[in-house]
Amino acid sequence: MQTLKIIKIGGNIIDNDAALHAFLKDFASLQGPKVLVHGGGKLATKLAQQMNVEVKMTEGRRITDQDTLDIITMVYAGKINKDVVVKLQANGCNAIGFSGADGNSIVSVKRPVKTIDYGFVGDVVHVNTETLNVLLNANVTPVFCAITHDENGQLLNTNADTIASELAIGFSKTFEVELYYCFEKNGVLQDVNDDNSVISQINTKNYQDLIEKKIISDGMLPKLNNCFHAIQKNVKKVCIGKPEMLFDTNANFTTITL
Amino acid sequence: MQTLKIIKIGGNIIDNDAALHAFLKDFASLQGPKVLVHGGGKLATKLAQQMNVEVKMTEGRRITDQDTLDIITMVYAGKINKDVVVKLQANGCNAIGFSGADGNSIVSVKRPVKTIDYGFVGDVVHVNTETLNVLLNANVTPVFCAITHDENGQLLNTNADTIASELAIGFSKTFEVELYYCFEKNGVLQDVNDDNSVISQINTKNYQDLIEKKIISDGMLPKLNNCFHAIQKNVKKVCIGKPEMLFDTNANFTTITL
């Protein structure tokens, strides 16, 4: 099977024009089929402030009400997605922007209300890769924002890390998938203040130990859960680190294994 | 050659939830390959007001500055485009949203400055249908917003009627293209106040006469110029009227011929 690279970038790159520009130039030069997934960054919060839409919170969790969903759709699927696509095209990479509604590619359900109603937040239930495969075979690069849909006309806000892992799992039927989570650190760190303390490999054995020692906590927990979910569902390779891990053979990063 | 329908809808449908819903349901049921092009409606103006971005005018013409381009990108490519796509998916039509940057499908140049600098406004120079043809063959329906790009990383605001006619011309190499401009009237009217006074056919001969008699003026002039441009460049059929012309065999509408 052919190798497919799925690369997720987050707010630290999205919010920095120079970093985004440099990354997209490098990304465009990557050979072989590839998919980009981008997070949202700070622009949605800024727009909400400009529009006087307040951030809704319940029990410390962000709620996606209709106004927030509209803002996310405008910023993620509009401004950021098109900025990424137009810059990739300028670098010779034939990109097409996607939400999960486009090509019916990512189907989700509105998160069931237990103690908290998260609003228009979607949990992924199915990935359709047929149309995406047609495009990858035509040398097109899909660029995903973090929005899905429920097949009944409702857009839903979905975590970008989850979108990347679910796409990786969906594509592993037809590709050997490598999943790269790019963020601001060199990988999962033994000491959060020392970017040279990269844990080069995390597997199901040392993972629990790292959680118990609180070396992995907070925001890293859901990210690593996405990584393990992918690696357990036939994704061949899952890595966390700076974008350099994709381009520099000497870069340090963390690899997730079974 | 197979027939391809290209259908352009404007603000009168976009701004009316019930009308948009009804139209998209009918559109989804149309058999055969099809492309939808949508205008912007009033949402961009509303968002600009909410964000305190003033509409820039020079000599009575709207100027697309950077703030306005950002708003257009958010509203046209984000909110409206994804709303259309998600509703088409709910009606069983496998749609993918496009700007001209996506798939490098519509290349334009920033309008040269003569007496007026229109800002980030693009005049179409080339349509690339290769990727779009791959999708049409896979039973996917492209949905275009009115944004193009210059291949150098710049998005550009482009008239939706022009996008529809340029796509129609581009596709006429591989399809027998029918181009339908949907708007709020039954067609081009002999008497602007009488919706039953439809001029059923306009050709290059009676066109000049209708202009001289001021029966065709103002906003209808650029629309008809787009129609004639298309019909002169191998588009098989060009029609103007209400969306009913697509679904109701008894509907009145205007056909443009050579």
Side-chain angles (χ1 to χ4, degrees):
Chain A
M1 281 203 280
Q2 208 181 357
T3 298
L4 171 71
K5 288 187 168 76
I6 299 184
I7 298 161
K8 189 259 171 176
I9 55 171
N12 67 308
I13 298 174
I14 294 290
D15 287 331
N16 178 331
D17 267 353
L20 181 61
H21 205 88
F23 170 79
L24 293 176
K25 199 177 163 188
D26 287 338
F27 176 85
S29 73
L30 280 176
Q31 294 302 303
K34 58 196 182 231
V35 174
L36 183 62
V37 179
H38 62 81
K42 292 174 186 159
L43 195 58
T45 307
K46 196 180 146 198
L47 180 61
Q49 286 165 348
Q50 281 182 279
M51 292 175 70
N52 286 319
V53 171
E54 60 176 319
V55 175
K56 309 286 188 313
M57 307 283 283
T58 300
E59 299 181 28
R61 305 297 294 261
R62 269 179 100 117
I63 306 303
T64 306
D65 61 0
Q66 184 62 55
D67 285 344
T68 305
L69 182 67
D70 285 349
I71 287 170
I72 282 170
T73 306
M74 291 195 290
V75 172
Y76 296 2
K79 176 76 181 133
I80 297 174
N81 192 264
K82 295 310 149 198
D83 275 357
V84 168
V85 167
V86 79
K87 281 175 180 148
L88 286 176
Q89 292 288 355
N91 283 292
C93 171
N94 192 11
I96 296 184
F98 274 79
S99 73
D102 298 279
N104 194 22
S105 47
I106 312 178
V107 180
S108 61
V109 286
K110 187 177 176 298
R111 186 167 296 168
V113 179
K114 292 173 185 166
T115 55
I116 301 176
D117 182 355
Y118 289 91
F120 296 111
V121 169
D123 293 325
V124 176
V125 290
H126 189 67
V127 168
N128 292 313
T129 55
E130 295 85 344
T131 305
L132 293 165
N133 282 333
V134 166
L135 288 171
L136 289 169
N137 286 334
N139 203 23
V140 172
T141 298
V143 174
F144 274 87
C145 66
I147 294 172
T148 58
H149 82 135
D150 70 355
E151 290 189 314
N152 294 310
Q154 182 64 57
L155 296 169
L156 293 163
N157 183 12
T158 298
N159 179 276
D161 284 353
T162 303
I163 283 185
S165 68
E166 294 289 349
L167 282 172
I169 294 164
F171 277 114
S172 38
K173 277 174 274 174
T174 42
F175 287 96
E176 286 215 339
V177 180
E178 300 179 356
L179 172 60
Y180 297 90
Y181 284 107
C182 300
F183 74 149
E184 66 279 12
K185 292 171 187 165
N186 273 330
V188 182
L189 303 177
Q190 193 79 39
D191 173 359
V192 75
N193 297 313
D194 179 4
D195 208 22
N196 292 317
S197 68
V198 176
I199 303 166
S200 63
Q201 194 177 314
I202 300 177
N203 55 39
T204 42
K205 287 172 199 151
N206 65 352
Y207 184 41
Q208 286 310 318
D209 189 48
L210 290 165
I211 293 173
E212 278 163 29
K213 288 179 179 161
K214 298 202 192 312
I215 291 166
I216 295 171
S217 64
D218 305 325
M220 284 306 289
L221 271 172
K223 193 180 278 288
L224 277 157
N225 285 341
N226 276 311
C227 292
F228 278 109
H229 183 52
I231 208 82
Q232 283 159 353
K233 297 263 188 178
N234 296 320
V235 176
K236 285 290 161 188
K237 192 173 173 183
V238 181
C239 305
I240 305 180
K242 289 185 182 155
E244 287 82 338
M245 69 179 155
L246 286 152
F247 315 109
D248 178 358
T249 49
N250 293 318
N252 282 319
F253 55 90
T254 300
T255 303
I256 313 300
T257 59
L258 278 177
Chain B
M1 281 202 281
Q2 207 180 357
T3 297
L4 171 70
K5 288 187 169 74
I6 298 184
I7 298 161
K8 188 260 171 173
I9 56 170
N12 68 308
I13 299 174
I14 295 290
D15 288 332
N16 179 332
D17 267 355
L20 181 62
H21 205 89
F23 170 79
L24 293 175
K25 199 177 164 188
D26 287 338
F27 176 85
S29 73
L30 280 177
Q31 295 301 301
K34 58 196 183 231
V35 174
L36 183 62
V37 178
H38 62 79
K42 291 176 187 159
L43 196 57
T45 308
K46 197 180 147 197
L47 181 61
Q49 286 165 349
Q50 281 182 280
M51 293 175 70
N52 287 319
V53 171
E54 59 176 318
V55 175
K56 309 287 189 310
M57 307 283 283
T58 301
E59 299 182 28
R61 306 296 294 262
R62 269 179 101 117
I63 306 303
T64 306
D65 62 359
Q66 184 62 55
D67 284 345
T68 305
L69 182 67
D70 286 349
I71 288 170
I72 282 169
T73 306
M74 292 194 290
V75 172
Y76 296 2
K79 177 73 181 136
I80 297 173
N81 193 265
K82 295 312 148 197
D83 275 359
V84 168
V85 167
V86 79
K87 280 175 181 147
L88 286 176
Q89 292 288 353
N91 284 293
C93 171
N94 192 11
I96 294 184
F98 273 80
S99 72
D102 298 279
N104 194 23
S105 48
I106 311 178
V107 180
S108 62
V109 286
K110 185 175 178 298
R111 184 168 298 168
V113 179
K114 291 175 189 167
T115 53
I116 300 176
D117 182 355
Y118 288 92
F120 297 110
V121 169
D123 293 325
V124 176
V125 289
H126 190 67
V127 169
N128 291 312
T129 55
E130 295 85 344
T131 305
L132 294 165
N133 281 333
V134 166
L135 289 171
L136 289 169
N137 286 334
N139 204 23
V140 172
T141 298
V143 175
F144 274 87
C145 66
I147 294 172
T148 58
H149 82 133
D150 70 356
E151 290 188 312
N152 293 310
Q154 181 64 56
L155 295 169
L156 293 163
N157 183 12
T158 298
N159 179 277
D161 283 354
T162 303
I163 284 185
S165 68
E166 294 289 349
L167 282 171
I169 294 164
F171 276 115
S172 39
K173 279 174 274 176
T174 43
F175 287 96
E176 287 215 337
V177 180
E178 299 179 356
L179 172 60
Y180 297 90
Y181 285 106
C182 300
F183 75 150
E184 67 279 12
K185 292 172 187 166
N186 272 329
V188 183
L189 304 177
Q190 193 79 41
D191 171 2
V192 74
N193 297 313
D194 179 4
D195 208 23
N196 291 316
S197 68
V198 176
I199 304 166
S200 63
Q201 194 178 312
I202 300 178
N203 55 38
T204 41
K205 287 173 201 154
N206 66 351
Y207 183 41
Q208 286 309 319
D209 188 49
L210 289 164
I211 293 173
E212 278 163 31
K213 287 179 179 161
K214 297 202 191 314
I215 290 165
I216 295 171
S217 63
D218 304 326
M220 284 307 287
L221 270 172
K223 193 181 278 289
L224 277 158
N225 285 341
N226 275 311
C227 292
F228 277 108
H229 182 53
I231 207 82
Q232 281 158 355
K233 296 262 189 177
N234 296 320
V235 176
K236 285 290 163 188
K237 192 173 171 183
V238 180
C239 305
I240 304 180
K242 289 186 182 155
E244 287 81 339
M245 68 179 156
L246 286 153
F247 315 110
D248 178 356
T249 48
N250 294 317
N252 282 319
F253 56 88
T254 301
T255 303
I256 313 300
T257 59
L258 277 178

